[in-house]
């Protein structure tokens, strides 16, 4: 049964928590423990063009730092808007300069190139996530401002806004395309197919509605955006990036137990939080708490060869074989067997009767291949110099 949610409910702002926690997520740290930072100061630098740098969301002091995460003690949040030199001005900049400036401000954008179609994906990723509808209902002007900046950067021949069938709002600032409500119809690869009729064409760029919202806020305020909007239960909250998920769940009146699980993102594709102290990331659209169930949890067991994942894979690849390749480090074999075609829907893990973490294995292989490709590219550049 389709869940109904009152997305007209007011957005609740949560006060900054005393401590914030941020994932390093493959970036290279540029700070040390005990260092004090102003809002917008660089914490970790990204080497990936599609991943922005990690910046201090508030005035803070670093209390914990390791390879995976960083804990910040909030100092004086009232001083955050005094840092005038960090105001973003785009006047007179080329689109490459704008994109570079946004990346240094922590805003991640896909690569530019010769783009025919720019798609804004505001469809529902999963039936229980109403994040995009909330943005369309309440922040139309902000999205429209973000659209103008996105079109300046990508210069597409056409721009389409993808929304889920049944959306009853009105949008007059962009051409709208309805996409199927059935999962995984709202995921980027499926949306591209719905809009263009083609599978993964090179001349199409997809931006999420949340990224467009962030661009719009940057345009409207000229400031680095240090907060985000998160759905928890039936409520929506504006929170600082890095706010512990336990604080968000508590604000939503959701009680947690000792054996349940907290998931950041969607149920099918999200990541389990390692603790209630794990911070909300900028692209975290929702936080779920899953009660303990008698069903077995995923574990590193052997594939039983039932073929359910293959029969249900919307991309037509072999998740069981690919997960095996990842499990034993045969990443190039995974590449040769079209791991790049995976749309990251998680249906393979959902239908796996052995409860293998199939999607997680595939994500591991894709990450390792990305690192390999990056290292090869670096060596190639050094060889040319």
């Amino acid at each position: 049964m389709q869940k109904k949610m009152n997305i007209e409910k007011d957005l609740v702002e949560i006060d900054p928590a005393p401590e914030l926690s941020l994932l390093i997520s493959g970036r290279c740290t540029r700070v040390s423990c005990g260092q004090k930072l102003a809002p917008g100061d660089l914490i970790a630098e990204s080497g990936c063009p599609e991943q922005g740098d990690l910046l201090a969301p508030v005035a803070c002091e670093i209390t914990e730092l390791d390879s995976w995460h960083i804990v910040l003690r909030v100092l004086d949040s009232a001083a955050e808007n005094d840092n005038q030199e960090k105001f973003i001005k785009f006047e007179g900049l080329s689109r490459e300069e704008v994109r570079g400036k946004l990346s240094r401000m922590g805003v991640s954008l896909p690569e530019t190139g010769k783009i025919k179609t720019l798609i804004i994906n505001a469809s529902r990723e999963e039936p229980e996530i109403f994040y995009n509808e909330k943005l369309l209902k309440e922040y139309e002007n902000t999205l429209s401002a973000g659209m103008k900046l996105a079109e300046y950067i990508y210069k597409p021949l056409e721009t389409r806004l993808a929304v889920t069938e049944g959306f009853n709002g009105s949008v007059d600032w962009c051409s709208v395309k309805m996409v199927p409500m059935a999962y995984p119809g709202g995921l980027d690869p499926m949306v591209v197919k719905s809009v263009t009729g083609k599978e993964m064409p090179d001349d199409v760029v997809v931006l999420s509605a949340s990224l467009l919202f962030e661009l719009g806020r940057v345009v409207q305020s000229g400031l680095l955006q240090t907060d985000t909007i998160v759905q928890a239960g039936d409520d929506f909250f504006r929170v600082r990036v890095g706010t512990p998920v336990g604080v968000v769940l508590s604000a939503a009146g959701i009680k947690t137990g000792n054996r349940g699980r907290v998931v950041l993102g969607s149920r099918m594709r999200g990541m389990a939080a390692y603790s209630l102290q794990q911070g909300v990331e900028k692209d975290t659209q929702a936080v779920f708490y899953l009660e303990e169930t008698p069903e077995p949890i995923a574990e590193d067991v052997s594939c039983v060869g039932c073929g359910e994942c293959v029969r249900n894979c919307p991309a037509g690849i072999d998740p069981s074989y690919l997960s095996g390749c990842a499990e034993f480090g045969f990443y190039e074999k995974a590449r040769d067997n079209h791991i790049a075609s995976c749309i990251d829907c998680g249906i393979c893990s959902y239908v796996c009767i052995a409860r293998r973490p199939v999607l997680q294995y595939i994500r591991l292989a894709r990450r390792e291949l990305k690192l390999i490709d990056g290292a090869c590219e670096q060596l190639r550049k050094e060889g040319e110099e």
Side-chain angles (χ1 to χ4, degrees):
M1 179 180 292
Q2 188 66 44
K3 181 180 179 181
K4 293 184 178 179
M5 172 176 277
N6 181 12
I7 61 174
E8 306 295 343
K9 291 175 68 174
D10 291 338
L11 197 67
V12 178
E13 184 165 350
I14 298 179
D15 293 334
E19 284 192 338
L20 305 178
S21 178
L22 302 172
L23 289 178
I24 302 297
S25 188
R27 300 178 178 92
C28 185
T29 54
R30 295 288 184 252
V31 293
S32 57
C33 206
Q35 185 174 344
K36 293 183 179 180
L37 303 173
D41 281 351
L42 178 66
I43 291 178
E45 195 171 18
S46 172
C48 176
E50 297 184 6
Q51 182 185 47
D53 295 338
L54 188 62
L55 309 175
V58 294
C60 58
E61 179 181 3
I62 300 173
T63 56
E64 292 181 34
L65 174 64
D66 59 31
S67 301
W68 298 100
H69 79 298
I70 181 170
V71 178
L72 311 171
R73 183 171 67 87
V74 176
L75 297 177
D76 181 11
S77 60
E80 65 184 274
N81 289 336
D82 294 341
N83 216 347
Q84 296 291 332
E85 68 275 15
K86 291 187 174 61
F87 273 43
I88 306 170
K89 297 178 180 178
F90 299 114
E91 292 81 0
L93 300 180
S94 68
R95 60 175 186 161
E96 289 78 15
E97 291 171 327
V98 171
R99 189 171 183 276
K101 196 158 190 153
L102 287 169
S103 178
R104 291 190 293 276
M105 300 303 291
V107 180
S108 308
L109 288 174
E111 286 278 20
T112 56
K114 189 174 182 180
I115 304 302
K116 178 182 178 182
T117 306
L118 173 64
I119 299 175
I120 309 302
N121 187 2
S123 61
R124 196 178 302 171
E125 285 192 356
E126 290 191 28
E128 288 184 295
I129 296 184
F130 296 81
Y131 183 94
N132 288 334
E133 282 96 330
K134 186 73 173 177
L135 295 183
L136 288 171
K137 288 277 187 181
E138 298 196 4
Y139 297 97
E140 183 177 350
N141 291 336
T142 305
L143 293 174
S144 178
M147 175 76 82
K148 292 177 181 176
L149 181 57
E151 289 182 327
Y152 176 71
I153 294 173
Y154 290 102
K155 297 189 181 304
L157 297 179
E158 62 172 350
T159 305
R160 305 292 297 275
L161 177 71
V163 300
T164 302
E165 288 177 345
F167 174 71
N168 58 6
S170 61
V171 177
D172 57 7
W173 45 274
C174 187
S175 174
V176 173
K177 169 68 177 178
M178 295 284 183
V179 300
M181 180 178 291
Y183 187 78
L187 302 187
D188 285 353
M190 308 300 284
V191 168
V192 171
K193 181 69 182 297
S194 295
V195 173
T196 68
K198 301 177 182 178
E199 293 183 354
M200 304 176 71
D202 294 332
D203 55 357
V204 173
V205 162
V206 183
L207 301 183
S208 65
S210 59
L211 181 53
L212 197 72
F213 174 65
E214 187 175 8
L215 289 178
R217 294 184 69 201
V218 168
V219 171
Q220 290 178 331
S221 69
L223 288 169
L224 168 68
Q225 302 305 305
T226 61
D227 56 9
T228 188
I229 295 174
V230 179
Q231 175 187 336
D234 290 340
D235 298 312
F236 291 88
F237 300 94
R238 185 190 296 277
V239 302
R240 296 285 180 185
V241 175
T243 298
V245 292
V247 173
V248 180
L249 292 172
S250 177
I254 299 174
K255 295 182 179 179
T256 58
N258 293 328
R259 300 179 63 84
R261 289 191 172 194
V262 177
V263 176
L264 280 74
S266 61
R267 291 176 186 261
M268 293 291 288
R269 308 164 67 233
M271 299 291 289
Y274 59 81
S275 80
L276 292 176
Q277 297 304 312
Q278 182 169 335
V280 169
E281 296 184 74
K282 190 177 289 184
D283 58 354
T284 302
Q285 296 186 357
V287 177
F288 290 100
Y289 177 68
L290 307 182
E291 299 282 357
E292 179 189 8
T293 69
E295 298 174 358
I297 62 174
E299 52 187 329
D300 292 332
V301 296
S302 299
C303 172
V304 298
C306 67
E308 282 297 313
C309 60
V310 180
R311 281 189 285 275
N312 288 278
C313 177
I317 56 179
D318 187 341
S320 61
Y321 181 78
L322 295 174
S323 66
C325 290
E327 185 175 8
F328 297 103
F330 300 139
Y331 304 124
E332 291 298 338
K333 282 191 175 181
R335 191 203 302 271
D336 294 340
N337 283 272
H338 313 292
I339 195 172
S341 297
C342 172
I343 66 170
D344 206 44
C345 65
I347 291 177
C348 49
S349 293
Y350 183 79
V351 301
C352 178
I353 63 173
R355 296 293 179 184
R356 280 170 54 81
V358 184
L359 176 62
Q360 285 71 21
Y361 276 132
I362 290 176
R363 285 176 171 174
L364 168 66
R366 296 176 75 170
R367 181 177 182 277
E368 292 298 320
L369 287 169
K370 196 171 184 179
L371 292 174
I372 292 171
D373 292 343
C376 291
E377 178 64 16
Q378 183 63 31
L379 289 173
R380 186 189 65 77
K381 290 180 178 177
E382 291 176 359
E384 292 177 350
E385 293 176 352

